[in-house]
Amino acid sequence: MTSEARNASRSGQDFILLGFPCSREVQFLLFSIFFVTYTLTLLGNTVIVCAVHGDRRLHTPMYVLLANFSFLEICYVNSDVPNMLANLLSQTKTISFARCLLQLYFFFSLGTTECLFLSIMAYDRFLAICRPLHYPTVMTIKFCVRLVIFCWVYGFLWFLIPVILVTQLPFCGPNVIDDFLCDLGPLLALASACVPIPGTVLICGTMSSLLIFATFLYIIGSYSLVVWAVVQVPSRAGRKKAFSTCCSHLAVVFLFYGSVMMTYVSPGSGQAEGMQKFTTLFYSVLTPFFNPMIYSLRNKEMKAALKKILGGS
């Protein structure tokens, strides 16, 4: 396809997001469920951010990272859920090419940032449990802030190349995406139906796999060393507290990475119908919903801060 033809096909072009094709009654039911989940996700993560900000006892690296992670989850759900809710009530279910690319970029950049944050939080726990004497001098607030800045900046730089490659792809129509957001796999599948794009699929798949496996293996390696160190702790209470923290962190890691690996290790490879939609829904909507409960609300210090914020109730 020539550049003129590609530009002509892209001019005024819209994509159709099928979302959840079902009866209007079921779509209204799904809207209600997702709206409640979305609202509770925003409330839970906002409360954590406010609790850490408002309680000076929580101004430590671990809680600074948790607060930033909760803020990230707020941004993450806002990158896809509002459009999904609007799509459920819409008759046309269309999204412009520019909005589709913008959603793709923010959704994946925030997902990349989440992978980096989970790695940094694993590093923090490794230092605190395996190197307790070095922890106060290494993990200072200043160093923690630098790590947070690194996560945000690098997260938004990593996915620039795949998005630029997607802007150069031909979409000859019909531009129907069987998903509730502009996801990488369906977009590559649409383009590959027009012309072969093995190079783009390879680059996108390699970058996704590199990020996912590198951060996942680092996290698993860090927590393996943490568990080994915890097993050798003589105090039963100390072991219980450390295991509780590690189990909470690992629960979030497996929830997030389990569904992400199923979706993005080989984008555009053609998963079973409906499977990619389910896995995307799981890590983009449900994981941010569970994170406040898993990560922070079981923590004694966080519970005390929440009681203070809620007026001692």
Side-chain angles (χ1 to χ4, degrees), residues 31-297:
F31 174 87
S32 302
I33 294 171
F34 291 144
F35 180 77
V36 171
T37 303
Y38 172 64
T39 304
L40 292 176
T41 301
L42 293 181
L43 285 174
N45 285 287
T46 301
V47 165
I48 289 171
V49 173
C50 293
V52 174
H53 182 267
D55 193 331
R56 293 189 63 84
R57 292 172 300 177
L58 301 184
H59 292 182
T60 62
M62 175 181 169
Y63 291 106
V64 168
L65 291 173
L66 278 175
N68 275 274
F69 188 76
S70 291
F71 177 71
L72 170 63
E73 296 291 54
I74 293 170
C75 298
Y76 200 28
V77 293
N78 277 312
S79 70
D80 65 311
V81 176
N83 188 76
M84 178 182 70
L85 293 174
N87 184 274
L88 283 168
L89 299 179
S90 172
Q91 295 287 344
T92 57
K93 302 186 184 301
T94 58
I95 184 171
S96 68
F97 182 78
R99 281 184 59 205
C100 186
L101 283 183
L102 198 61
Q103 184 184 60
L104 177 73
Y105 175 66
F106 277 99
F107 182 73
F108 274 85
S109 295
L110 291 166
T112 301
T113 306
E114 179 148 348
C115 290
L116 296 174
F117 260 107
L118 289 171
S119 301
I120 295 303
M121 293 166 84
Y123 173 66
D124 174 72
R125 290 301 85 203
F126 165 76
L127 277 180
I129 296 173
C130 299
R131 302 288 185 271
L133 297 179
H134 296 93
Y135 183 79
T137 55
V138 175
M139 187 59 76
T140 61
I141 289 293
K142 187 176 181 180
F143 181 60
C144 181
V145 169
R146 287 178 181 173
L147 290 176
V148 168
I149 293 172
F150 166 79
C151 289
W152 283 101
V153 172
Y154 199 81
F156 275 80
L157 289 177
W158 179 260
F159 210 73
L160 273 176
I161 292 175
V163 169
I164 291 171
L165 290 175
V166 171
T167 64
Q168 305 306 309
L169 295 177
F171 294 99
C172 53
N175 296 327
V176 179
I177 299 175
D178 187 15
D179 211 332
F180 58 89
L181 56 78
C182 288
D183 210 346
L184 183 61
L187 284 173
L188 293 179
L190 278 180
S192 63
C194 301
V195 294
I197 51 168
T200 301
V201 172
L202 178 62
I203 291 172
C204 293
T206 301
M207 292 190 70
S208 298
S209 300
L210 182 62
L211 171 75
I212 292 168
F213 282 111
T215 53
F216 180 72
L217 291 175
Y218 176 80
I219 292 167
I220 295 302
S222 297
Y223 281 118
S224 297
L225 294 173
V226 167
V227 169
W228 177 253
V230 170
V231 168
Q232 301 180 59
V233 172
S235 166
R236 183 178 178 183
R239 284 199 305 271
K240 183 178 179 181
K241 182 178 181 181
F243 269 127
S244 177
T245 302
C246 293
C247 287
S248 298
H249 288 206
L250 284 172
V252 173
V253 168
F254 284 117
L255 280 174
F256 180 75
Y257 277 94
S259 50
V260 165
M261 284 180 179
M262 291 178 64
T263 307
Y264 298 117
V265 169
S266 183
S269 61
Q271 288 183 327
E273 186 176 353
M275 179 56 70
Q276 176 162 328
K277 196 183 302 184
F278 173 77
T279 54
T280 304
L281 180 69
F282 188 85
Y283 77 80
S284 65
V285 179
L286 297 181
T287 302
F289 170 71
F290 288 121
N291 279 355
M293 291 176 279
I294 296 174
Y295 250 126
S296 301
L297 300 183

